[in-house]
Amino acid sequence: MREDPIWAIFAVFVPLSFLSFGGGSSILAAIEHQAVDVHHWLTQREFIDLFALSRAAPGPGSMLVTLIGWKVAGFAGALAGTLAIFGPASLACYGAARIWSRYRGTMWHSVLESGLIPVAGGLTFAGVFAVMRASEATALDWGIAAVSAGLLAWSKKIHPLLIIGAAGTIYAVFG
Amino acid sequence: MAESAPSSEKPESKTEPPLAPRPRLRTVAWLFARIGAMSFGGGMAGWYFREVVERRRWMGETDFLSGFALAQILPGINATNMLVYIGQRLHGRIGAAVVPASLLFFPVLIAMGLGAGYAEVAHHPWVHRFLEGAAAAAVGLTSTLGFKAFRHSTRDPGLFVALLLTFVCIAILRWPMVAVAPCTALLGVAAAWRIVGRVRRRGGA
């Protein structure tokens, strides 16, 4: 069976983009199933390699889909994968942001804004918790996270890359 | 767009320093391209908050944090949703397209350019350990954003309960975020509404 890979990429990832709530990791298993079992774009091993690559490179982990597209159909595939996974949900988000901004300065806007802040806080800490649990964090991991948060809160001048790079180096050398 | 209608009834803190003038599009694009190139180990939202709000004052804290909550509640990958939100706030339609594209530019280039050989590197134990350390530090970066939201929420018991419930229901009880966040958002908004009412009754000029 021959299928146009570009359209197949859209057909797989556009629906997934709307199923993703929270981090991209919620649709990871579905991505793997579609790319490996259903469409045979990659072998299991290749998928794991691309996953590792998306984690090792900087930037959001969700660019895994860009890399899958690239593997399937070169540059056009990479573009298609990126547009498919980010595009539709981004358009929806853009519409919401536009409406949201239009009422800036009104009373009810600032009330809604203020009421959403605790949700942002709760979600952030829940996210931190989820990341630490998924990576089976040790006491050292928690310690590094606490020191990093403390240093960054203490001074706005400290560059995050300095702390992230230092922590990575410590782990690589002594870990 | 009434950008800065000064309202004495705003339920937000008045301690925030003033905003910087709106940056040029290419300044914004270049900043996000650099964040993309530097953000090893994740912690994307923490990077945006530090660079856009804390260091450059392009957006206010409440503006950023409420947008962050929206970006999470809406479907889609939240790291990208947040970029669309920031882009829209800073430069409208063009900003909403340019900011996510700028951020993805270097990571994709790095991952593709190094290609298949890099997959071997990515499995190297040293790289694994480096990333583990980087990810732990990146968690610290992300949590600075949470602490800012926490500080805003300690001003009122209702806000504080909304924060606590959001965390407990999702992280501890493992209820789905899609169900929890809208409910706790309602609670937060109700609390914020009460604060406004209080300020009004006091005739807060």
Side-chain angles (χ1 to χ4, degrees), chain A residues 42-137:
Chain A
L42 315 138
T43 64
Q44 187 69 37
R45 170 77 199 176
E46 283 171 329
F47 181 86
I48 292 167
D49 279 350
L50 283 190
F51 178 73
L53 195 57
S54 76
R55 293 294 135 129
S62 42
M63 71 168 182
L64 170 67
V65 174
T66 307
L67 298 179
I68 292 175
W70 167 60
K71 195 93 179 174
V72 176
F75 182 73
L79 205 63
T82 311
L83 284 176
I85 199 76
F86 299 125
S90 292
L91 275 180
C93 183
Y94 168 75
R98 230 186 103 126
I99 296 166
W100 183 239
S101 302
R102 193 175 299 157
Y103 295 99
R104 183 154 294 279
T106 64
M107 247 281 280
W108 64 268
H109 182 279
S110 42
V111 169
L112 284 181
E113 209 175 35
S114 186
L116 279 171
I117 292 177
V119 181
L123 288 174
T124 306
F125 290 128
V128 162
F129 213 69
V131 166
M132 295 304 249
R133 188 154 54 191
S135 63
E136 286 160 10

Side-chain angles (χ1 to χ4, degrees), chain B residues 35-47:
Chain B
I35 294 176
M38 294 184 298
S39 49
F40 289 95
M44 306 311 295
W47 275 100

Side-chain angles (χ1 to χ4, degrees), chain B residues 63-100:
Chain B
D63 191 1
F64 185 99
L65 291 171
S66 61
F68 178 75
L70 280 181
Q72 300 244 358
I73 293 169
L74 292 170
I77 291 155
N78 61 43
T80 328
N81 277 354
M82 192 57 204
L83 291 170
V84 172
Y85 179 83
I86 295 171
Q88 199 280 335
R89 293 287 302 127
L90 295 178
H91 267 279
R93 196 180 306 159
I94 302 171
V98 164
V99 165

Side-chain angles (χ1 to χ4, degrees), chain B residues 2 22 26 37 44 52 79 91 94 97 145 188:
Chain B
R22 191 169 87 145
R26 60 156 186 247
M44 306 311 295
V52 172
H91 267 279
I94 302 171
L145 186 153

Side-chain angles (χ1 to χ4, degrees), chain A residues 17-24 27 45 48-50 52-63 66-67 70-71 74-75 78 82 85-86 89-94 96-126 128-133 135-136 138 140-142 144-146 148-153 155-161 163-169 171-175, chain B residues 1-3 5 7 9-12 36-42 44 47 50-51 54-55 61-63 65-82 84-85 88-89 92-93 96 103-104 107-108 110-112 115-116 118-120 122-123 126-127 129-134 136-150 152-153 155 159-160 162-163 166-167 170-172 174 177-178 181 184-185 188-189 192-193 195-196 200:
Chain A
S17 90
F18 282 106
L19 286 178
S20 161
F21 286 94
I27 51 167
R45 170 77 199 176
I48 292 167
D49 279 350
L50 283 190
L53 195 57
S54 76
R55 293 294 135 129
S62 42
M63 71 168 182
T66 307
L67 298 179
W70 167 60
K71 195 93 179 174
F75 182 73
T82 311
I85 199 76
F86 299 125
S90 292
L91 275 180
C93 183
Y94 168 75
R98 230 186 103 126
I99 296 166
W100 183 239
S101 302
R102 193 175 299 157
Y103 295 99
R104 183 154 294 279
T106 64
M107 247 281 280
W108 64 268
H109 182 279
S110 42
V111 169
L112 284 181
E113 209 175 35
S114 186
L116 279 171
I117 292 177
V119 181
L123 288 174
T124 306
F125 290 128
V128 162
F129 213 69
V131 166
M132 295 304 249
R133 188 154 54 191
S135 63
E136 286 160 10
T138 59
L140 181 63
D141 293 334
W142 283 104
I144 291 280
S148 150
L151 284 172
L152 289 166
S155 165
K156 279 181 196 165
K157 294 209 177 83
I158 298 179
H159 201 288
L161 186 60
I163 295 174
I164 290 170
T169 310
Y171 273 58
V173 175
F174 302 105
Chain B
M1 248 190 282
E3 275 290 346
S7 146
E9 296 163 339
K10 272 198 166 184
E12 56 195 64
M38 294 184 298
S39 49
F40 289 95
M44 306 311 295
W47 275 100
R50 188 167 184 85
E51 299 296 327
E54 292 201 307
R55 298 198 50 214
E61 273 175 19
T62 34
D63 191 1
L65 291 171
S66 61
F68 178 75
L70 280 181
Q72 300 244 358
I73 293 169
L74 292 170
I77 291 155
N78 61 43
T80 328
N81 277 354
M82 192 57 204
V84 172
Y85 179 83
Q88 199 280 335
R89 293 287 302 127
R93 196 180 306 159
L103 185 101
L104 282 173
V108 168
I110 290 167
M112 282 183 181
Y118 194 60
E120 297 305 312
H123 287 303
W126 269 33
V127 176
R129 289 206 299 269
F130 179 88
L131 289 171
E132 197 195 330
V139 161
L141 177 60
T142 304
S143 58
T144 57
L145 186 153
F147 288 122
K148 268 286 149 49
F150 183 84
H152 274 271
S153 309
R155 293 176 302 132
L159 295 178
F160 184 74
L163 186 147
T166 309
F167 174 76
I170 297 171
I172 313 288
R174 295 186 163 201
M177 191 270 277
V178 221
T184 52
V189 169
W193 189 250
I195 299 174
V196 171
R200 262 188 178 167

